[in-house]
Amino acid sequence: MKIAVLSRNPHLYSTKRLVEAIRAAGHEALVVDHSICDLIIEQEGPSIIYKGEKLTDVDAIIPRIGASVTFYGTAVVRQFELMDTFSAVESQAIVRSRDKLRSLQILSKAGLGMPKTAFTNFSKGGEKALIERVGGAPLIIKLLEGTQGLGVVLAETKKAGQSVIEAFHGLKARIIVQEFIKEAKGADIRAFVVNGKVVGAMKRQGAEGEFRSNLHRGGKATVIKLTKAERTAALGAAKALGLDIAGVDMLQSERGPLILEVNSSPGLEGIEKATGVNIAGEIVKFIEEAVEKRSRKRKIKYEQNNPDRH
C-alpha cells in the first residue's frame, strides 16, 4: 500500500514515527504538506496537485491537521475521500472535534460526563449570571479557538471572572465558561483511542502552580491504568464524534470521569514515551484492517452486481 501522512513538518516526532511504522509494516510512506496541495474540481472528478504533480495511487491517508489550518486541511482530506482514498480520520469528524462548542454539545447529547459549561452571545451585563450557571468561582474561561492550553484562564474570584469575560467579549472573542474541578489538582488523563480500543493512557500533571496539564506547558506524563468508567467514557467520546483515532482528555472527579476535549490529531510523543506502546504501529494496523475490509466489501458488491462474470 501507499500511505500518505498529511503533515506540514516531516521532522515532527509524530510524523517521523508514523513514517517508520508504515515502512516497518512493508508499505510505502509519503509525507504530504496539505497546506501546499492544490485541489482541482472539475467534471472529470476531483484531483490533487502536489509540487506540480498529480497525486495518484494513494491507498490511505493519515491526517495530521494543525488547528491553524483546519479549514484548508479538512478540504484536502475531503478531496482524498472523494477520490476514494481511505482516511484514518474522516474530514467531517475533524471539523466536528475542532469546534469546541459543537463537540461539547454532541458529548452532552450522548450523556457523557463533562464539567458544566456555559456559552453566550456577547450578552452585555450577563457575566455574573454566566458565572453562577457553572457553580461560581473559581472557574475556567476558554477561547473556543485555543489549543495546547493557550487561551485558557483560571479566574479565582467572581470579580476576576467577570473582568476576563468582559475583556474577551469586548474583543468579540468567542469563549466558553466552565466549572472548575478542584479535586483534579491540576492533572488530567489522556486516553489514546484507535479503532474502538484504548491503546494507551497517561496521566498528565501540571507544573508547580500551573492548573493546565499540557505537556507543552511543562506538564509531566506518567502511565496510568484506566478504570472501567474512564475507558467507557473515552470510547464513548470518540464514537460520539465519529473518530477512529482520538486523544480523549478527561479529569478525575468525585462524580466520575469528566471529558474536557477530544483531539482528532493527538500527538504521539508524550503517550509513546510514557507508556512504551507502539501507538504508530497500532494506527498502521488499523489502516491495514480497514482497507482490507473495504476491499472485501467492494469485491462482494461487484460479484453481486455482475453474476455472469463468475
Side-chain angles (χ1 to χ4, degrees), residues 2-305:
K2 188 196 277 189
I3 303 173
V5 181
L6 303 189
S7 171
R8 293 169 74 194
N9 186 350
H11 306 296
L12 287 176
Y13 178 94
S14 298
T15 306
K16 287 196 291 185
R17 283 290 298 117
L18 287 165
V19 168
E20 282 170 18
I22 292 164
R23 288 175 180 157
H27 307 297
E28 184 186 343
L30 182 68
V31 178
V32 173
D33 181 348
H34 44 278
S35 70
I36 57 170
C37 286
D38 293 331
L39 310 184
I40 309 303
I41 303 150
E42 57 188 341
Q43 190 173 355
E44 284 73 25
S47 59
I48 296 172
I49 308 294
Y50 183 61
K51 295 183 176 178
E53 302 284 331
K54 191 179 271 195
L55 275 177
T56 55
D57 306 322
V58 177
D59 298 289
I61 59 169
I62 305 172
R64 301 288 309 167
I65 310 296
S68 61
V69 290
T70 298
F71 177 80
Y72 199 78
T74 50
V76 173
V77 175
R78 189 160 56 245
Q79 190 86 338
F80 271 110
E81 289 168 345
L82 294 169
M83 289 160 58
D84 221 16
T85 301
F86 174 76
S87 179
V89 186
E90 290 181 4
S91 57
Q92 196 52 45
I94 298 171
V95 172
R96 231 180 266 129
S97 67
R98 282 287 155 81
D99 184 334
K100 278 197 182 85
L101 181 62
R102 183 180 178 186
S103 60
L104 287 171
Q105 287 172 316
I106 292 166
L107 296 174
S108 171
K109 168 71 176 168
L112 294 159
M114 65 183 71
K116 195 168 184 182
T117 304
F119 177 71
T120 185
N121 188 32
F122 307 126
S123 56
K124 193 164 175 63
E127 295 85 6
K128 199 173 178 181
L130 200 63
I131 291 167
E132 292 302 330
R133 287 190 183 102
V134 297
L139 67 144
I140 302 291
I141 300 156
K142 288 183 185 176
L143 273 174
L144 280 179
E145 286 79 29
T147 59
Q148 296 178 349
L150 295 167
V152 181
V153 179
L154 168 63
E156 300 274 10
T157 65
K158 287 181 187 176
K159 198 166 183 180
Q162 282 177 241
S163 297
V164 173
I165 295 168
E166 281 170 12
F168 277 136
H169 280 178
L171 295 168
K172 296 292 178 195
R174 296 283 181 191
I175 57 163
I176 53 173
V177 175
Q178 273 187 337
E179 162 192 17
F180 178 65
I181 308 300
K182 189 180 176 184
E183 62 266 30
K185 295 176 182 170
D188 73 2
I189 294 169
R190 159 69 61 92
F192 207 109
V193 177
V194 179
N195 192 23
K197 292 179 291 199
V198 175
V199 294
M202 62 179 172
K203 186 167 187 172
R204 303 180 298 188
Q205 180 65 56
E208 187 69 35
E210 175 61 78
F211 72 95
R212 295 166 293 187
S213 58
N214 306 70
L215 301 184
H216 294 85
R217 313 206 67 79
K220 289 191 169 58
T222 51
V223 67
I224 186 174
K225 185 171 168 50
L226 297 183
T227 64
K228 190 179 176 183
E230 288 161 355
R231 189 173 295 274
T232 301
L235 295 176
K239 187 179 178 183
L241 293 173
L243 290 166
D244 287 312
I245 298 170
V248 183
D249 297 340
M250 299 176 282
L251 294 177
Q252 292 175 308
S253 81
E254 288 163 357
R255 61 180 192 265
L258 303 178
I259 295 160
L260 282 176
E261 197 171 348
V262 184
N263 194 321
S264 56
S265 291
L268 302 184
E269 188 169 9
I271 193 91
E272 283 198 338
K273 287 181 177 176
T275 63
V277 176
N278 179 7
I279 305 279
E282 292 291 335
I283 291 169
V284 174
K285 264 190 239 170
F286 156 58
I287 291 168
E288 288 172 334
E289 287 170 19
V291 171
E292 174 64 26
K293 191 176 173 184
R294 224 163 66 135
S295 180
R296 279 200 309 269
K297 275 186 180 175
R298 282 178 183 165
K299 191 179 176 187
I300 291 164
K301 193 174 179 182
Y302 177 80
E303 287 169 356
Q304 286 171 341
N305 293 338

